[in-house]
Amino acid sequence: MASSPLPAFTVRRGEPVLVAPAAPTPREVKALSDIDDGEGMRFYSSGIHLYRNNPAKEGKDPAMVIREALAKALVLYYPLAGRLREEAGRKLVVECTGQGVMFAEADADLTADDFGDVQSPPFPCFEQFIIESTTIAGIEPVIDRPLLYFQVTRLRCGGFVFGQRVCHCVVDAPGGMQFEKAVCELARGADAPSVAPSWGREIFMARDPPRPSYPHLEYRDPVGGPDRMLSTPPEDVVRVRFFFGPREIAGLRQHAPASIRGSCSRFELVVACIWRSRTAALGYAADEEVRLSLVVNARGRPDVPLPEGFYGNAFAFSVAATTAGELGGGDLGYALGLVKKAKSAVTYDYLQSVADLMVVAGRPPFVMSRTYLVSDVSHAGFKSVDFGWGEAVYGGPAKVGEGPFVGVTNYFSRAKNSEGEQSVVVPICLPKDAMDKFQLEVHALTTELI
């Protein structure tokens, strides 16, 4: 199901202001972890939540309610009200100054129903509902800037849109959700959040001396020529949402080897299908190296000593690598084996090795050439963010993916297909000439065998 095109509308945004913690907070300097401050984390991620009118909240201004709750939450999460500073070795620290986060309220002549059945990114006209910060030569700096930007846009039906931009250096998706839920609980009248925050960044600091112990292909260029995905102009890229419902998942299971068919998750099946089909559609030479990079969350892993309430970055990019010829020449089971191996590779030792590499290699960015980067946000619980107006109609990323190159990164989410069935939904961006080939490849892998 797709969202309907929005009617012509105007957003009247007030002047953004700084919201500081509601009470005095410690003035100190706190170091980010060596996973937090890699080059690939130095950007703002964007999210959107859409809410309908709640008659029980008649006379309540959502912008005021959220602003007051935000100020209270920042007392506990006071580093988020500070500013980043770069020290020797490109090390990032937070100066906890209590300056505050950026907040704007706005009004739009739209109703919640005007957005249609929006279930997955991109959110319609998301640029109107988030605060963009200033860029320098096309790059959005994070040093000495607010770490969080919020906009509450009131709708004429009584609902509203909550838009946010969060500096990825200080929180990952689960950490950001933890903070948002703290704001929600305070907005609904709680005296304190149910989960107390914990800084704990020392667990992901480089060892002394640093000793990277894995290849870390995610930071090394692959073998082969240039990647057309990095040079295709945005206007030559098309976007299509692909729904993998019960029928498509059953087809993928049939194409998987019997020995692993029952042990494959839906995520593994869909990732393997898309990586294989995308590689074929882009026409890479048989001897060129192609990669799949998975965002693997370390939370809940028994060997990772995360303190309760930790809200920093606790994930790694784990890479599956092969050649285009081997990926396309093998069956779906070959791709599935690589996906499973990459998923299981992230341990505490691996994360420590990443931290070590950041220090010895100057905090390099992750490589995007001939790489398909996937983040599964289907279990993040975005829609459960409730400021007192009820569950969100839409909750999730504002964009299809983050980063400067369209189609390199992808968010996997959950939505209902045209038959009302729960599905994995993946918005794919490819050059126009590659999309037809991609659709044929996916169709072949998702069609049940007779």
Side-chain angles (χ1 to χ4, degrees), residues 25-31 77-85 93-99 199:
T25 56
R27 296 298 190 262
E28 58 186 356
V29 175
K30 300 180 84 71
Y77 289 84
Y78 64 90
L80 300 183
R83 299 291 183 268
L84 293 181
R85 185 181 78 215
V93 299
V94 181
E95 291 186 317
C96 301
T97 57
Q99 287 174 263
W199 187 250

Side-chain angles (χ1 to χ4, degrees), residues 306-369:
L306 283 178
E308 172 123 17
F310 181 83
Y311 58 100
N313 288 286
F315 70 89
F317 300 97
S318 187
V319 171
T322 184
T323 65
E326 289 173 327
L327 186 62
D331 60 12
L332 187 63
Y334 177 73
L336 281 166
L338 294 174
V339 171
K340 285 178 171 290
K341 184 178 179 181
K343 277 184 64 182
S344 64
V346 176
T347 61
Y348 185 43
D349 187 59
Y350 188 91
L351 288 159
Q352 288 182 306
S353 180
V354 173
D356 292 344
L357 180 73
M358 291 297 105
V359 172
V360 301
R363 310 185 193 280
F366 50 84
V367 171
M368 292 190 286
S369 180

Side-chain angles (χ1 to χ4, degrees), residues 37 101 106 137 185 188 191 215 220 258 291 307 311 334 353 372 391 393 405 418:
D37 62 8
V101 302
E185 289 173 334
R188 297 198 306 268
D191 293 328
R220 298 182 180 183
R291 294 175 179 172
Y311 58 100
Y334 177 73
S353 180
Y372 177 49
E391 185 177 274
V393 178
F405 302 108
S418 59

Side-chain angles (χ1 to χ4, degrees), residues 245-419:
R247 183 174 59 253
E248 289 78 15
I249 297 299
L252 290 172
R253 287 199 190 281
Q254 281 198 346
H255 284 84
S259 58
I260 63 171
R261 188 176 294 162
S263 66
C264 292
S265 68
R266 286 178 295 181
F267 173 78
E268 291 166 347
L269 289 164
V270 174
V271 168
C273 169
I274 292 179
W275 182 32
R276 191 176 186 277
S277 301
R278 182 180 182 275
T279 299
L282 288 168
Y284 297 123
D287 60 346
E288 287 190 308
E289 185 180 1
V290 292
R291 294 175 179 172
L292 169 72
S293 185
L294 301 176
V295 174
V296 181
N297 185 4
R299 286 174 170 80
R301 296 185 177 236
D303 64 323
V304 181
L306 283 178
E308 172 123 17
F310 181 83
Y311 58 100
N313 288 286
F315 70 89
F317 300 97
S318 187
V319 171
T322 184
T323 65
E326 289 173 327
L327 186 62
D331 60 12
L332 187 63
Y334 177 73
L336 281 166
L338 294 174
V339 171
K340 285 178 171 290
K341 184 178 179 181
K343 277 184 64 182
S344 64
V346 176
T347 61
Y348 185 43
D349 187 59
Y350 188 91
L351 288 159
Q352 288 182 306
S353 180
V354 173
D356 292 344
L357 180 73
M358 291 297 105
V359 172
V360 301
R363 310 185 193 280
F366 50 84
V367 171
M368 292 190 286
S369 180
R370 266 174 285 109
T371 298
Y372 177 49
L373 196 157
V374 174
S375 179
D376 181 10
V377 299
S378 61
H379 301 288
F382 291 121
K383 291 183 72 173
S384 65
V385 173
D386 178 8
F387 296 103
W389 273 257
E391 185 177 274
V393 178
Y394 171 81
K399 309 174 185 179
V400 170
E402 301 288 353
F405 302 108
V406 177
V408 174
T409 62
N410 245 167
Y411 290 123
F412 280 30
S413 56
R414 294 279 183 89
K416 292 182 179 180
N417 62 18
S418 59
E419 297 173 12

